[in-house]
Amino acid sequence: MENLRNAVLFGCCAAFGLTLAELILPLERFTRQIRLLTAILMMTVILTPLTKLDLSDFTAHLSVDNPQASDLIEAAAEMQEQAAAERICNALNRELTEKQVNCRVTEVCLHIQQDGCISINEVKAEGNLLTGTVFLREWLGSDVAITEGGTDLASDG
C-alpha cells in the first residue's frame, strides 16, 4: 500500500512541477516536445514505485489451500485440456482428409502435464480404421491407443 501511495504522491508532484515548467517557458513552438517529455516523465514516476509492489497478499488468496481457488484451477486445467483435444482432433481430421483416408477422429483423450507437455493417451476413430490407424500411428506414435467403441485396434504397432 505504501508503494501505491508513493506512486500517487510522486505523480502529483511531477505533474505540479511540469505544469509549472510549462507555464514558465514562453516558447509556444516547444509545446509538443514539453508535453511528450511530461508524459514520459509522468509514466516513469508513476510506474517506478508500482514495479516494487508486493503482491503476496493477492496471491495468498489464490493458494492451493483455498478450496475455491483449487476448484477454479482444476476447472481451468480441464477446459485447457478440452480445447487442446479439440484442436488436435480437428488437425488429425484435416490431415486424414488431405490424405483422402475415409476415417474420422471422434475424440482425443489427453493430459497436459505441469511442464506444459501434452500426452495423448487415446484416440477414438470411426470409418476406415485400418488405413486410419496406419496414419495415426505414424503421426502420434505406437504407444497411443486407437480405439473404436472401446476396442483396441492394432496396439502392436
Side-chain angles (χ1 to χ4, degrees):
M1 190 64 161
E2 186 67 29
N3 288 333
L4 188 59
R5 189 175 301 129
N6 286 340
V8 171
L9 177 67
F10 290 155
C12 291
C13 290
F16 177 73
L18 291 170
T19 303
L20 238 116
E22 196 174 288
L23 292 174
I24 293 173
L25 291 174
L27 299 175
E28 293 279 328
R29 67 179 192 207
F30 293 121
T31 303
R32 291 180 63 200
Q33 289 85 354
I34 291 173
R35 289 187 188 268
L36 176 67
L37 287 173
T38 303
I40 291 171
L41 185 60
M42 285 293 294
M43 292 301 293
T44 304
V45 165
I46 290 172
L47 291 178
T48 300
L50 291 179
T51 58
K52 298 174 184 159
L53 274 179
D54 183 20
L55 298 177
S56 61
D57 292 338
F58 176 72
T59 55
H61 294 295
L62 297 178
S63 69
V64 180
D65 298 338
N66 187 342
Q68 293 170 339
S70 179
D71 291 344
L72 285 174
I73 291 170
E74 195 174 299
E78 186 177 318
M79 288 173 59
Q80 186 179 25
E81 285 181 1
Q82 288 174 352
E86 186 176 319
R87 287 187 189 133
I88 291 172
C89 185
N90 290 339
L92 290 172
N93 283 328
R94 193 170 38 252
E95 289 295 320
L96 288 169
T97 302
E98 284 180 13
K99 300 287 185 190
Q100 297 179 350
V101 177
N102 190 18
C103 181
R104 188 174 80 84
V105 175
T106 58
E107 185 180 348
V108 175
C109 301
L110 57 84
H111 176 69
I112 299 177
Q113 299 169 0
Q114 291 289 351
D115 60 355
C117 293
I118 297 175
S119 300
I120 299 175
N121 305 326
E122 180 183 13
V123 173
K124 295 182 181 180
E126 60 184 20
N128 185 354
L129 293 173
L130 293 178
T131 308
T133 300
V134 171
F135 283 106
L136 292 171
R137 291 245 180 258
E138 180 182 327
W139 298 327
L140 302 173
S142 60
D143 55 335
V144 176
I146 300 173
T147 60
E148 175 191 33
T151 58
D152 196 5
L153 299 173
S155 61
D156 294 317

